[in-house]
Amino acid sequence: MALAATTAPCAALAAPAASPAAVGNRRSHMLRASRPAQFTAVSSACRRGHRLSRTASLRIACSAAEGASAPAAAAAPATEAPVATASSDAELRFPPATSTIMVTGPTSYIGRNVVKQLVAQGFNTVSYSRPRAGAGGKLSTADIEKDFEGAECVFGQATSMEQISEAIASRPEGKKVDAMICCLASRGGGVEDSWLVDYQATVNCLNACIENDVKHFVLLSAICVQRPLLEFQRAKIVSEDLIRKAGAEGKITYSIVQPTAFFKSLAGQVESVMGGGPYVMFGNGELTACKPIGEIDLANYCIECLNDPTKNNQTLPIGGPGPAYTPLAQGQLLFKLLGKEENFVKAPVGLMDAVIGGLDFLKKYFPGAFTDPAEFGRIGRYYATESMLLLDPETDEYTADGTPEYGTLTLEQFFKDSIENGLSNQELGDASFLSWGKAKEVEKN
């Protein structure tokens, strides 16, 4: 769900997108966060070095947010205590035929598949999105309703606490929201956008659920928050910690899903290579590795969190089936499937450093024009140098063997399908130097 910020970064950190008075005056059981303090603590920790483990980063964010870490928030995923909710395998907490599940961020890459899989599994499904949604805001209400046949489509702004809370509170008897799957994410990862969506809109959804007695909250996050060097990662960490705090206080049960790479993030060069172009990678092509997961597999994993008591009050890193692939191995697989001779271009990481340095210099004098492009450069460098695998907190190294697997679709099957049928529904977000402003323009119109 592409929501773009229209306020300055400092204002976005100091005040919620919804009216500060309105959010601050909510009933006392709602969660509150001092975002500037959290942001400062996480940012300072990240500046001290690139080798910040997941456990350390979460403790820093928690201590800044609450003054003392809540037990569930401070713990590593393995120590979070599951909450058993079903007395037997036959007794489901959320039976599909009688349960209503709301999906926020439904037009996102994974959110769209969550909606469709919920409908296919017989759940009463509510899609909550902006009237103009999708990448660049190109989807109208009619487009969304047509795509989500079988689901009820409700429209509003998740950045507004009033609107999302009203959407839940106004449900008729028999159709009250039982659980929410939150797939909100800033499409580009820009500075303001990250705090508006990955933090504010997400926390609005959490608070609205607590206020309206929604029982379970599933957050689709990202495994890359293990080493938070980017704005969207810092924003996600604060949101995750508030969710854990709510779970520890018994206000709601939760599942925080942290997937590795999506197939779409590895699909960017398929058409170029098919057309005879080279496969571009950084360094020797073995700086990073990932265990990518398919969109339908990940959607089903999120849905499983509703009725699997072992996933309650848990942080759940998850990857797809098969081996971990380096960029070199991805390229080799693609050339093999195409029957083409290998043709690699190896770009030095230092080239990205030079670009980022130049953009950082320009943003000092033209912050409105270059702040987001500089952040996009850092995002590119991050994914060129950091693996999308579980980070072992003991060794501070990524581990392929330790990354959980789920699903059936492999990267090889995905590449084969992309070669034969094209890359429909694999649309990337707005994070490019040429398109970074589009979402903001749509939001203002």
Side-chain angles (χ1 to χ4, degrees), residues 168-250:
I168 299 174
S170 62
R171 305 287 304 167
E173 287 299 326
K175 293 187 177 181
K176 295 292 185 183
V177 176
D178 297 296
M180 176 180 288
I181 301 178
C182 180
C183 300
L184 291 169
S186 54
R187 285 185 179 273
V191 175
E192 298 174 21
D193 201 29
S194 294
W195 285 102
L196 186 69
V197 181
D198 295 301
Y199 167 74
Q200 188 62 69
T202 300
V203 173
N204 284 349
C205 290
L206 173 66
N207 281 335
C209 285
I210 294 171
E211 185 176 72
N212 292 284
D213 298 320
V214 175
K215 305 304 181 187
H216 194 72
F217 189 85
V218 180
L219 175 68
L220 179 63
S221 185
I223 204 169
C224 63
V225 300
Q226 299 171 116
R227 281 191 176 144
L229 307 179
L230 305 169
E231 289 299 318
F232 81 88
Q233 296 166 339
R234 296 164 186 149
K236 284 181 182 294
I237 283 175
V238 178
S239 298
E240 286 190 8
D241 289 340
L242 290 172
I243 293 167
R244 293 187 186 94
K245 181 176 184 292
E249 294 175 350

Side-chain angles (χ1 to χ4, degrees), residues 14 18 22 53 55 95 143 150 215 230 234 250 303 307 325 335 341 352 402 407:
S53 73
T55 303
D143 293 329
K215 305 304 181 187
L230 305 169
R234 296 164 186 149
I303 295 170
N307 283 315
Y325 282 90
F335 284 119
E341 184 178 349
M352 299 185 74

Side-chain angles (χ1 to χ4, degrees), residues 104-324:
T104 51
T107 61
S108 65
Y109 178 64
I110 302 302
R112 179 173 180 268
N113 287 278
V114 170
V115 171
K116 291 181 175 292
Q117 291 303 309
L118 282 169
V119 171
Q121 294 178 33
F123 286 93
N124 300 317
T125 308
V126 179
S127 156
Y128 183 84
S129 69
R130 293 176 301 142
R132 299 293 303 186
K138 69 179 183 180
L139 298 177
S140 67
T141 56
D143 293 329
I144 296 167
E145 289 172 341
K146 181 179 179 181
D147 192 35
F148 292 154
E149 183 178 356
E152 179 183 352
C153 296
V154 178
F155 300 98
Q157 296 281 2
T159 50
S160 166
M161 179 62 194
E162 286 74 20
Q163 290 188 34
I164 183 63
S165 185
E166 175 63 21
I168 299 174
S170 62
R171 305 287 304 167
E173 287 299 326
K175 293 187 177 181
K176 295 292 185 183
V177 176
D178 297 296
M180 176 180 288
I181 301 178
C182 180
C183 300
L184 291 169
S186 54
R187 285 185 179 273
V191 175
E192 298 174 21
D193 201 29
S194 294
W195 285 102
L196 186 69
V197 181
D198 295 301
Y199 167 74
Q200 188 62 69
T202 300
V203 173
N204 284 349
C205 290
L206 173 66
N207 281 335
C209 285
I210 294 171
E211 185 176 72
N212 292 284
D213 298 320
V214 175
K215 305 304 181 187
H216 194 72
F217 189 85
V218 180
L219 175 68
L220 179 63
S221 185
I223 204 169
C224 63
V225 300
Q226 299 171 116
R227 281 191 176 144
L229 307 179
L230 305 169
E231 289 299 318
F232 81 88
Q233 296 166 339
R234 296 164 186 149
K236 284 181 182 294
I237 283 175
V238 178
S239 298
E240 286 190 8
D241 289 340
L242 290 172
I243 293 167
R244 293 187 186 94
K245 181 176 184 292
E249 294 175 350
K251 295 175 179 177
I252 196 168
T253 58
Y254 68 85
S255 304
I256 297 174
V257 179
Q258 295 178 336
T260 59
F262 301 157
F263 283 146
K264 79 163 185 178
S265 64
L266 309 182
Q269 299 191 66
V270 172
E271 292 180 340
S272 173
V273 172
M274 288 176 65
Y279 191 93
V280 182
M281 57 190 182
F282 286 93
N284 63 0
E286 296 185 299
L287 300 177
T288 65
C290 67
K291 290 175 66 69
I293 186 168
E295 64 269 30
I296 294 177
D297 285 338
L298 181 53
N300 283 326
Y301 187 82
C302 290
I303 295 170
E304 280 190 13
C305 291
L306 300 173
N307 283 315
D308 183 351
T310 67
K311 293 182 173 66
N312 286 357
N313 288 1
Q314 291 286 293
T315 299
L316 303 161
I318 193 68

